[in-house]
Amino acid sequence: MKRTTKTRGIVAAEPPSIDPLEEFDPVSSSEENSPHKNDDANEGTFIIQDINLQPREYDEDSSDEEDIRNTIGNIPMNWYDEYPHIGYDLDGKKLMKPKQGDKLDDFLRRMEDPDFWKTVKDRQTGQNVVLSDKDVDLIGRIQSANVPDPSFDEYAPWIDWFSSEVMDTPLRAMPPSKASFLPSKIEKMKISKIVHAIKMGWIKPPQKPSTEKKFYMLWDSDDKADSIRRIHNHIPAPKTRLPGNAESYNPPSEYLLDDEELRDWEAKSDEPWKRRYNFIPQKFNSLREVPAYQNYIKERFERCLDLYLCPRAKKMRLTIKAEELVPQLPSPKDLQPFPTVLAVEYKGHTDMIRSISMELHGQFFASGSDDGTVKIWEVATGRCVKTFKLGETVRWVEWCPNKSLSLVAVAVDSDVVIINPGVGDKFIVEKTDTLLAEPPELSNFISNERMVVAAQWEPFDQEKWDLGIRVMIRHFKPVRQVTWHGRGDYFSVVMPDGLNRSVIIHQLSTRRSQFPLNRSKGLIQCVLFHPIRPYFFIATQLHVRIYDLVKQEMVKKLMTSSKWISSLAIHPGGDNVIVGTYDKKVVWFDLDLSTKPYQTLRFHGNAVRSVAFHKRYPLFASGSDDCSLIVSHGMVYNDLLQNPLLVPVKKLRGHEKFNDFGILSVMWHNMQPWVFSSGADSTIKLYT
């Protein structure tokens, strides 16, 4: 392979016959002098190497360095990115860009060239310059914050060039006059007059203050502070208010009362303290036309009564800063992770979405809408996997919490439908169909008449089975909510219009139903099973009652201090409850502390529709009709002496209002700190 030499834009083949008198460029030869580099690695550099070539006299002369210098000045070099040249020399000729190698050439040069680590590129000419040992040492000293010149002595002795002593020199060197040595006759006459006046007694020196006490106390106790006399604790009377523009004899027009204001002033004669002024402002041309004030004597007398009868006392004023009243909460940055941004938006429903429910593994979730459909969504992709058309308004969907069953309970008008969604593990889906295909024997069970009227289990129907419906229960009133027990066999149904039969608990394995309440406790809004203990929470319009299912008695009654309860959520630990209300409040209860609210959060500007706890992270969320989703940090400590820490961390917005409705349902992901919200705008949003 031929080697080439590039100088001044001319490429010639090597080895040429080198003329000793030919002009030689020392700058280009000093930039890279390694004999081990190939042509591809020498980007824009050249090497002239001859063993018999003797050093010449002008090898170190840098006069030719100006020939390849770029004379374009201090301008951005990216201006020449699209041109084959990089600038101009002193003669106005173009300086062509050197050959650019690829990454393989750069790797070979890095491996073979021992001077690669101290090779830099000149941006003006595009040439590679090898730094000398002196340059490398200079750069090293500058990087280590040392003096660049090693011969410079930083601690040389100081030379005091100027003296700090000030020489006393006169402003003028004139000889003193003779008059400065002779006493003044005028001053002598003045002094003699003063001496004569003192002798005659006309001028007396100032007397020294007497140290004797002119008065003394008759009794020993009188020299102490007298607390009986008012002069010691005198409190000045408050000053009267200074007259304003309305009291002027020629007030501006805006201070004069018009006809409507005058009628209002006269109508408040029975309540004079509600008037704007205690007089009617009048306007006069001059001060001479102003008559005598008719209430002058009355007001002066009332002022004297105030000074005489109204007691005046000193009060200690507390100087409390506003910052001291606000509790010291941690920064939201220290409470991460929590959702902050909108990640996925699920679209497919044509009407408002009232309820959403998450599968236990967190891969799918179900949604029910007013368009009469239940959709199964995949969380990661946002894809609608299945759609079940039920025909009526879907008010509630709830996924079964049992891992060995694949079931979704749906409240459709006055029916409760159990659906097998057919997603997830195929073995679990087939096992669920096998269990529900054979109904249990009810030969020995005698149903109650009241229960037969309230709820009826529909028999097996092949058409409904093909549509995905496994079990159907018909009720006598519209169903608002369906909630599962933690083990997945029992589920409860809420019918607000059912009076004393508003709540029914069904058992899926035996196809039986029962009434937990004998009497009506009010308009029931929602119910929940305790995640750990055998407790049953029933939220009426004003209170939340907790029942023990084993002892069959009421344990506690939570006083919410609100007008209407909308939703309820229980902490995974089981000792804390949050309640959402239609009067814009979120109420936190600590069951171990009291039956009254531990804290009331007022973050929303409209009715709170849904509240939810996260199962793993110390997070809870609330959705409202103002289209805002408030994410809060709620840390519950194992120490019973330490109160829960509640900190709002993020306010999320994304939904739009539809018929004065905003967010209708809020749900957390089972594994990740992600929150879902469904709204009246027929969309579901995922925030991560």
Side-chain angles (χ1 to χ4, degrees):
M1 183 177 65
K2 292 184 178 182
R3 299 182 59 85
T4 59
T5 302
K6 184 177 179 182
T7 174
R8 297 188 183 178
I10 301 174
V11 180
E14 272 194 7
S17 59
I18 300 175
D19 189 359
L21 300 179
E22 184 181 357
E23 184 179 359
F24 175 67
D25 194 345
V27 177
S28 302
S29 63
S30 62
E31 291 178 351
E32 291 192 5
N33 51 6
S34 175
H36 302 287
K37 298 182 180 179
N38 54 12
D39 292 340
D40 296 334
N42 296 333
E43 300 178 2
T45 62
F46 63 93
I47 303 171
I48 298 178
Q49 181 178 4
D50 193 352
I51 301 175
N52 300 322
L53 187 62
Q54 298 297 327
R56 293 176 294 180
E57 180 180 358
Y58 299 103
D59 280 350
E60 301 298 328
D61 191 1
S62 61
S63 61
D64 293 338
E65 185 181 357
E66 300 175 356
D67 295 343
I68 65 169
R69 284 187 179 177
N70 201 345
T71 60
I72 57 176
N74 187 15
I75 64 171
M77 296 305 295
N78 55 5
W79 290 0
Y80 287 90
D81 290 347
E82 299 179 357
Y83 296 96
H85 61 283
I86 200 170
Y88 303 90
D89 58 4
L90 291 176
D91 298 333
K93 297 180 180 180
K94 294 182 179 180
L95 292 177
M96 305 307 291
K97 290 183 180 178
K99 182 181 178 182
Q100 300 293 333
D102 53 6
K103 292 186 178 180
L104 181 59
D105 299 333
D106 185 62
F107 175 76
L108 293 175
R109 189 169 32 149
R110 184 185 291 106
M111 294 293 103
E112 297 176 359
D113 188 5
D115 295 333
F116 177 79
W117 64 276
K118 58 180 181 178
T119 302
V120 297
K121 186 174 182 179
D122 188 1
R123 294 184 178 180
Q124 290 286 336
T125 60
Q127 304 289 339
N128 290 335
V129 181
V130 179
L131 300 178
S132 62
D133 296 339
K134 186 176 181 181
D135 296 336
V136 174
D137 182 55
L138 178 62
I139 294 173
R141 293 182 64 85
I142 293 175
Q143 288 181 344
S144 59
N146 293 329
V147 180
D149 188 5
S151 62
F152 179 76
D153 188 7
E154 297 183 70
Y155 306 101
W158 175 259
I159 300 175
D160 193 3
W161 298 100
F162 304 98
S163 175
S164 59
E165 297 179 359
V166 181
M167 184 183 297
D168 295 332
T169 56
L171 296 178
R172 56 182 184 174
M174 296 173 59
S177 62
K178 186 178 179 181
S180 61
F181 297 99
L182 299 177
S184 175
K185 292 183 179 181
I186 298 176
E187 293 178 356
K188 182 179 179 182
M189 294 173 60
K190 290 181 179 181
I191 292 174
S192 62
K193 287 182 179 181
I194 294 174
V195 171
H196 179 68
I198 292 175
K199 289 181 179 180
M200 297 299 294
W202 299 337
I203 298 178
K204 295 182 179 179
Q207 297 181 357
K208 296 181 179 180
S210 176
T211 57
E212 297 180 358
K213 293 183 179 180
K214 295 182 180 181
F215 308 101
Y216 58 94
M217 291 294 179
L218 184 63
W219 307 107
D220 186 28
S221 61
D222 288 345
D223 58 351
K224 299 179 181 179
D226 190 0
S227 60
I228 300 176
R229 298 178 63 190
R230 291 180 53 129
I231 193 65
H232 293 286
N233 295 324
H234 175 65
I235 302 175
K239 296 181 180 180
T240 58
R241 186 179 64 88
L242 296 177
N245 293 332
E247 283 87 347
S248 174
Y249 75 93
N250 188 14
S253 59
E254 60 265 18
Y255 290 95
L256 299 176
L257 302 180
D258 54 12
D259 296 339
E260 184 179 355
E261 292 176 345
L262 188 60
R263 287 194 299 270
D264 183 62
W265 191 87
E266 293 175 352
K268 295 179 180 178
S269 58
D270 296 336
E271 299 173 336
W273 59 87
K274 292 185 178 181
R275 290 172 174 172
R276 184 180 178 184
Y277 304 115
N278 56 356
F279 63 95
I280 299 177
Q282 297 179 356
K283 191 170 186 177
F284 301 95
N285 295 328
S286 62
L287 193 60
R288 296 191 303 272
E289 299 179 4
V290 179
Y293 184 45
Q294 56 183 358
N295 294 330
Y296 176 75
I297 297 178
K298 179 182 177 181
E299 289 184 357
R300 293 297 94 192
F301 179 70
E302 290 178 352
R303 171 69 176 171
C304 293
L305 288 180
D306 291 341
L307 297 177
Y308 171 61
L309 296 176
C310 294
R312 299 193 291 271
K314 288 184 178 181
K315 291 184 178 181
M316 299 298 294
R317 181 177 296 177
L318 298 177
T319 57
I320 300 176
K321 297 181 181 179
E323 294 80 4
E324 297 177 356
L325 299 177
V326 179
Q328 298 294 329
L329 298 178
S331 175
K333 296 180 180 179
D334 302 333
L335 304 177
Q336 290 179 346
F338 54 84
T340 56
V341 294
L342 175 63
V344 184
E345 186 173 359
Y346 305 87
K347 292 183 178 180
H349 287 286
T350 58
D351 207 340
M352 62 173 61
I353 303 171
R354 293 184 178 270
S355 177
I356 52 178
S357 179
M358 175 66 63
E359 184 221 359
L360 196 62
H361 300 286
Q363 185 179 0
F364 303 95
F365 72 93
S367 63
S369 172
D370 281 4
D371 58 4
T373 61
V374 174
K375 291 183 180 292
I376 308 297
W377 305 85
E378 190 174 6
V379 175
T381 61
R383 182 171 57 94
C384 180
V385 181
K386 283 191 177 183
T387 300
F388 299 93
K389 296 181 180 180
L390 303 177
E392 299 291 338
T393 300
V394 178
R395 298 189 177 273
W396 202 274
V397 292
E398 188 79 16
W399 210 293
C400 181
N402 194 344
K403 293 183 179 180
S404 59
L405 295 176
S406 176
L407 294 175
V408 177
V410 183
V412 186
D413 197 16
S414 60
D415 301 334
V416 174
V417 178
I418 307 296
I419 297 175
N420 186 353
V423 295
D425 192 354
K426 294 183 179 180
F427 176 75
I428 296 178
V429 173
E430 295 175 356
K431 179 183 176 182
T432 303
D433 289 341
T434 304
L435 291 174
L436 298 180
E438 299 178 0
E441 296 181 0
L442 301 176
S443 58
N444 298 328
F445 177 71
I446 301 175
S447 179
N448 190 3
E449 294 182 359
R450 293 176 64 244
M451 181 58 65
V452 172
V453 176
Q456 292 182 357
W457 293 75
E458 290 291 324
F460 177 78
D461 190 353
Q462 186 62 38
E463 294 181 0
K464 296 179 181 179
W465 186 276
D466 296 338
L467 295 176
I469 300 175
R470 300 296 179 257
V471 178
M472 177 178 286
I473 310 172
R474 296 192 179 275
H475 299 80
F476 75 111
K477 292 292 182 180
V479 179
R480 179 181 176 180
Q481 184 201 10
V482 180
T483 179
W484 288 90
H485 188 265
R487 295 185 179 180
D489 189 19
Y490 291 91
F491 61 94
S492 179
V493 174
V494 177
M495 297 171 288
D497 300 334
L499 300 179
N500 58 342
R501 292 181 289 179
S502 298
V503 181
I504 301 177
I505 296 179
H506 302 288
Q507 187 177 6
L508 184 62
S509 59
T510 61
R511 305 291 201 277
R512 297 179 182 179
S513 304
Q514 57 181 332
F515 294 117
L517 302 177
N518 292 327
R519 292 182 301 171
S520 176
K521 302 297 182 181
L523 189 61
I524 297 177
Q525 302 297 315
C526 56
V527 297
L528 279 179
F529 288 97
H530 195 279
I532 302 173
R533 304 188 184 100
Y535 288 167
F536 191 55
F537 290 75
I538 298 179
T540 59
Q541 186 175 348
L542 300 176
H543 309 293
V544 177
R545 291 176 171 84
I546 306 175
Y547 293 92
D548 192 338
L549 297 176
V550 176
K551 298 180 181 179
Q552 297 183 359
E553 62 181 10
M554 189 175 70
V555 180
K556 287 183 180 180
K557 182 180 179 181
L558 305 181
M559 314 299 292
T560 60
S561 302
S562 60
K563 298 179 181 179
W564 201 301
I565 295 175
S566 63
S567 55
L568 179 69
I570 305 175
H571 191 269
D575 293 333
N576 294 270
V577 177
I578 54 175
V579 178
T581 64
Y582 287 115
D583 47 355
K584 313 174 188 178
K585 295 186 294 185
V586 176
V587 186
W588 180 291
F589 288 94
D590 191 345
L591 302 181
D592 296 333
L593 186 64
S594 173
T595 58
K596 295 182 180 180
Y598 164 68
Q599 198 160 354
T600 302
L601 310 176
R602 296 179 177 88
F603 299 140
H604 294 282
N606 214 325
V608 178
R609 293 279 176 180
S610 178
V611 292
F613 272 110
H614 199 287
K615 293 184 179 180
R616 294 192 174 188
Y617 292 91
L619 296 171
F620 67 95
S622 59
S624 171
D625 280 343
D626 59 358
C627 299
S628 65
L629 178 63
I630 305 295
V631 179
S632 304
H633 177 86
M635 174 60 75
V636 178
Y637 300 96
N638 295 327
D639 188 4
L640 297 178
L641 299 178
Q642 192 169 2
N643 294 328
L645 176 64
L646 308 181
V647 182
V649 293
K650 190 66 177 179
K651 185 176 184 179
L652 302 172
R653 285 187 175 272
H655 289 277
E656 297 179 358
K657 271 196 173 185
F658 180 77
N659 292 339
D660 293 335
F661 291 102
I663 297 176
L664 299 178
S665 180
V666 176
M667 173 188 65
W668 287 96
H669 194 275
N670 291 338
M671 307 295 178
Q672 303 294 334
W674 302 344
V675 65
F676 297 80
S677 64
S678 65
D681 55 353
S682 67
T683 60
I684 304 172
K685 299 183 184 299
L686 166 61
Y687 299 92
T688 60

